[in-house]
Amino acid sequence: MTSGRKWTDGVEGVLLDITGVLYESGESEAIQGSIDAVKRLKDAGLPVRFCTNETTCTRQVLVDKLKRLGFTDMKPEEVFPPIPAMCQVLKERGLRPHLLIHPSALADFGDVATDNPNCVVVGDAIDEFSYANLNKTFQTLISLDKPILFSLGKGRYYKDGGNLVLDVGSFSRALEYACDVEAEIVGKPSAIFFNTAVKNMGLSADKVVMVGDDIVSDVGGALESGMRGVLVRTGKYRSKDENHPTVKPSAIVKNLAEAVDILIKSRKPWDGLAELA
Amino acid sequence: MVLLGILRLMLIQRKLNATSRIVCQDFLSTMAVAKVRTVLVDLSGTLHVDAEEIPGSIDAVNRLSQSGVNLKFVTNTTKESKRCLLDRLTSIGFNVQPSQIFTSLTAARHLIERMEVRPFLMLDRRALEDFEGLDTTNPNAVVIGLAPEDFNYQTMNKAFRLIMDGAALVAIHKARYYKRTDGLALGPGPFVTALEYATDTKADVVGKPEKSFFLSAVEEFKCQPEECVMIGDDVRDDIGGAMATGMFGILVKTGKYRDGDENKIDPKPTYIADNFSGAVDYILQKL
């Protein structure tokens, strides 16, 4: 932010990451204050959307899980995982994908035609990342005149049940190297992906703040997309993130509750009037 | 002033380097002045194709042996053990000793022994006998060859966590893919690259065309690179690699050789021979 302008000035909408902001990975409870924080944003008339790179379950399963955690008025249309955005891209470009994704997420591809594929889509397939499956995907990709590879996010690894495990980005990197192509990222930190959620709120990027725990994917991606980016000290946050060589967050806060406190306190009485009119 | 002095020194050094490079290239363009003490020979495509001798090669190996030079057979393999390669050469009719075979697996073993680490081996079962006797308990290094059986989520995660805990990553080579009877299949390269990306590290690659491969192959002979010649059919991996190490390189027009291959590297091969026998004639003439 330049010359005294606060990160809260002119904010009219909020994007939230899910894992590490609303709840901790592998935990069965919401992060303290986050349920109330989401509610306070909505009560203040601020539109909220949720941006996640989750591709191991359908959107409905994810929403149901959040409801069980206490985010009771969560609606599927407020949640933006990569797969619906991917389906939109496939439709717009007339592409039929070969899918390497987890079976639990397959339903979200719905009626997308996958016969005679002319591109490849890779999500976090977990134990479906077998040699046979990767090889089949590779053979499809290398046989295309113009190989097109989509990666649903570009994460290197994440923590699962206390263990570090490889994320989708590592496997799509393998396919990039094998076929000498560069993957198109659908998911965070892609600006196109963020903008889908921003547009859905009827706003432009400069009026939106993204709150997340991933300094590169959430905060860096948001700043690149023209939004403000706020880092929370929950989830995968590590203290070294505060000295990241290239990404300088608009603000660093204790958790989502603190971000919302600051944002709501900064609101002028007339903020949000336009929506009412 | 000090800075200016340093700059001037750097300039002088650069000029000196440039001159010595020119002299070097003239020198390299012919082997006439050099005393060749060691000859490295590629296997498949140079001595034989599958189970067939490339005509004249058996005799040429014998002539080379009798001339008194050190002789070593070098190849990139990730699944065939030394014994396996020796059996094939012997059955074709070549007269080769086990100690004369040096593969990318041998190079990997040398590296592991030098680093004094305990490897987690992601290798084809047939290759494991080249690693017999190494301590593999509580591993602190990951060695990857072509091992489709290990290229799965569980084993990849195990390797990933070892590297995150500080284990070294050693790749036999980084080939992108290879040809199988049922079509193209992923080589070790993509899986090595996945682990490099996940852990933000670089693998030590041990096969041709790495300099360390050629140096390690001639180590026991205590000779300088400029006393060595590499003969092979792969202009980049055999000839380019050896020449970058400071050796001479003779390209043979057999195996995977295609018209114009000799123009793909700079400097060009020291000599281009019709076949292995022709390469040996050239070396024996110059000795």
Side-chain angles (χ1 to χ4, degrees), chain A residues 131 139 154 156 164 177, chain B residues 161 174 176 184 186 197:
Chain A
Y131 185 75
Q139 286 172 340
K154 196 78 189 43
R156 291 161 191 254
L164 292 182
Y177 178 80
Chain B
R161 284 179 211 134
K174 281 185 79 178
R176 293 177 151 82
L184 296 178
L186 289 166
Y197 176 77

Side-chain angles (χ1 to χ4, degrees), chain A:
Chain A
M1 297 283 108
T2 50
S3 60
R5 197 177 161 220
K6 290 198 222 105
W7 70 266
T8 51
D9 286 352
V11 167
E12 293 178 27
V14 181
L15 287 187
L16 300 180
D17 175 34
I18 294 179
T19 313
V21 173
L22 300 189
Y23 70 94
E24 296 282 5
S25 166
E27 305 269 322
S28 53
E29 276 177 37
I31 292 171
Q32 203 180 7
S34 63
I35 297 173
D36 187 49
V38 172
K39 192 169 177 301
R40 281 188 291 148
L41 285 173
K42 289 183 174 175
D43 289 347
L46 284 162
V48 183
R49 299 292 183 269
F50 303 88
C51 265
T52 174
N53 273 359
E54 180 62 67
T55 62
T56 60
C57 62
T58 62
R59 173 149 61 176
Q60 191 58 54
V61 168
L62 180 60
V63 169
D64 289 346
K65 179 183 178 172
L66 291 167
K67 281 184 173 170
R68 275 202 309 279
L69 287 169
F71 300 91
T72 45
D73 61 349
M74 185 74 64
K75 297 178 196 71
E77 59 271 24
E78 293 170 337
V79 178
F80 288 78
I83 295 177
M86 188 67 249
C87 291
Q88 188 62 32
V89 171
L90 294 170
K91 206 197 248 173
E92 282 168 11
R93 290 164 58 176
L95 293 169
R96 295 178 310 280
H98 169 91
L99 299 173
L100 179 54
I101 59 154
H102 198 266
S104 318
L106 208 55
D108 273 357
F109 279 92
D111 54 0
V112 168
T114 54
D115 57 302
N116 192 18
N118 53 10
C119 74
V120 161
V121 173
V122 183
D124 181 11
I126 317 180
D127 40 17
E128 295 292 309
F129 283 127
S130 63
Y131 185 75
N133 284 345
L134 282 161
N135 214 32
K136 209 168 165 218
T137 309
F138 157 73
Q139 286 172 340
T140 306
L141 190 59
I142 198 130
S143 68
L144 300 175
D145 287 339
K146 188 181 170 295
I148 303 173
L149 171 64
F150 292 102
S151 185
L152 302 179
K154 196 78 189 43
R156 291 161 191 254
Y157 58 87
Y158 58 93
K159 210 164 191 170
D160 180 58
N163 280 325
L164 292 182
V165 292
L166 293 163
D167 198 359
V168 57
S170 299
F171 291 97
S172 47
R173 180 72 198 96
L175 291 168
E176 285 184 326
Y177 178 80
C179 299
D180 208 7
V181 293
E182 199 179 327
E184 296 180 40
I185 311 300
V186 175
K188 298 181 287 188
S190 140
I192 302 169
F193 180 70
F194 279 123
N195 280 328
T196 320
V198 169
K199 263 189 250 161
N200 187 263
M201 294 190 282
L203 297 171
S204 53
D206 61 318
K207 295 191 162 50
V208 177
V209 61
M210 165 81 200
V211 182
D213 65 333
D214 188 317
I215 181 74
V216 174
S217 195
D218 293 329
V219 179
L223 296 171
E224 286 281 308
S225 309
M227 291 184 271
R228 301 102 197 269
V230 170
L231 182 69
V232 287
R233 294 191 179 106
T234 53
K236 68 168 75 163
Y237 161 87
R238 295 286 172 273
S239 55
K240 69 174 166 54
D241 296 341
E242 304 201 11
N243 302 309
H244 193 276
T246 52
V247 180
K248 307 290 168 210
S250 312
I252 302 171
V253 294
K254 188 177 161 220
N255 51 27
L256 177 61
E258 188 182 73
V260 170
D261 282 344
I262 299 168
L263 181 59
I264 291 195
K265 269 185 205 140
S266 75
R267 305 253 309 155
K268 313 282 186 303
W270 54 85
D271 282 345
L273 273 182
E275 283 166 55
L276 296 173

